[in-house]
């Protein structure tokens, strides 16, 4: 630019603002209170602790009333020694509230620094938007349960193990990326099946 001014462009990603109170489903002209009620968490009340890590979601996909409202929810159940594998949420931060048990949690920032904490019942931890993070129940006997809130009706979840090793990325590309051999990549892939 001739006048010496630099122009910075900022890219942002968030749920779009809506111009109405809420968004009706296609081909619907009116709704009642049922539209704004989600009953998908009722199974938590009487269900036994699952055998493996489980997530119950209330996102726009399961609860269409969230469309345009920039919020969603998940209940995470961790049997003893289970993990929510390393993952990211590209469209939202995550605010996790530990309801029961204890969890080891952490995230890695863009400078590759790991931030960890051991949470006790009643603690809240925030995972910044888009950063790789995990939760691990290290307790060998007791389950843990957490509730996560998101600032998006569809925060998205990118599971790193699945994205990398259950995709069609060529094994030789993965081997070069991880500075290992194809046999090791194939062993990792076989461990994720089932």
């Amino acid at each position: 630019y001739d006048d010496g001014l630099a122009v910075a462009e900022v890219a942002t990603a968030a749920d779009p603002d809506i111009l109405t109170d809420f968004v009706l489903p296609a081909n619907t002209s009116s709704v009642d209170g049922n539209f704004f009620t989600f009953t998908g968490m009722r199974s938590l009340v009487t269900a036994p602790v699952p055998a493996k890590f489980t997530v119950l979601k209330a996102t726009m996909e399961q609860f269409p009333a969230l469309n345009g409202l920039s919020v969603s929810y998940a209940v995470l159940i961790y049997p003893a020694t289970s993990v929510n594998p390393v993952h990211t949420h590209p469209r939202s931060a995550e605010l996790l509230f530990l309801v029961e048990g204890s969890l080891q949690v952490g995230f890695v920032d863009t400078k590759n620094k790991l931030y960890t904490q051991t949470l006790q019942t009643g603690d809240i931890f925030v995972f910044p938007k888009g950063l790789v993070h995990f939760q691990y129940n290290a307790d060998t006997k007791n389950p843990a349960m957490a509730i996560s809130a998101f600032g998006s009706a569809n925060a998205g979840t990118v599971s790193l193990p699945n994205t990398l090793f259950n995709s069609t990325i060529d094994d030789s590309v993965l081997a070069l990326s991880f500075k290992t051999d194809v046999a090791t990549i194939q062993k990792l892939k076989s461990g994720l099946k089932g």
Side-chain angles (χ1 to χ4, degrees):
Y1 294 100
D2 292 335
D3 58 7
L5 294 177
V7 176
E9 291 187 32
V10 177
T12 60
D15 289 354
D17 285 334
I18 59 174
L19 302 175
T20 58
D21 294 335
F22 49 88
V23 177
L24 289 175
N27 302 321
T28 303
S29 59
S30 70
V31 294
D32 61 16
N34 290 317
F35 177 70
F36 301 99
T37 304
F38 181 70
T39 60
M41 302 292 179
R42 288 181 179 174
S43 63
L44 290 172
V45 177
T46 57
V49 175
K52 61 182 184 174
F53 170 74
T54 303
V55 179
L56 295 170
K57 294 181 180 181
T59 69
M60 191 172 70
E61 182 179 345
Q62 297 84 19
F63 190 14
L66 297 180
N67 187 10
L69 300 182
S70 300
V71 295
S72 59
Y73 212 52
V75 175
L76 305 103
I77 306 166
Y78 312 80
T81 66
S82 65
V83 65
N84 184 356
V86 290
H87 63 281
T88 68
H89 302 290
R91 293 181 289 277
S92 178
E94 176 180 357
L95 188 62
L96 182 136
F97 172 60
L98 188 59
V99 177
E100 177 185 341
S102 64
L103 284 178
Q104 294 177 8
V105 300
F107 69 87
V108 179
D109 72 7
T110 58
K111 294 179 182 171
N112 209 32
K113 181 175 179 182
L114 175 64
Y115 296 85
T116 61
Q117 186 63 279
T118 299
L119 303 180
Q120 302 301 317
T121 300
D123 291 348
I124 294 176
F125 192 85
V126 65
F127 301 98
K129 178 179 174 178
L131 296 183
V132 172
H133 61 279
F134 67 90
Q135 300 107 28
Y136 172 55
N137 179 5
D139 192 315
T140 59
K141 293 185 172 106
N142 299 302
M145 182 185 298
I147 299 171
S148 286
F150 300 92
S152 170
N154 182 11
T157 300
V158 179
S159 168
L160 274 60
N162 282 331
T163 299
L164 294 170
F165 300 111
N166 280 337
S167 70
T168 56
I169 297 173
D170 187 87
D171 289 352
S172 59
V173 171
L174 291 171
L176 288 168
S177 298
F178 285 96
K179 298 181 182 357
T180 190
D181 54 47
V182 170
T184 300
I185 296 301
Q186 291 173 344
K187 186 174 182 182
L188 286 167
K189 284 183 170 186
S190 70
L192 289 173
K193 292 183 176 157

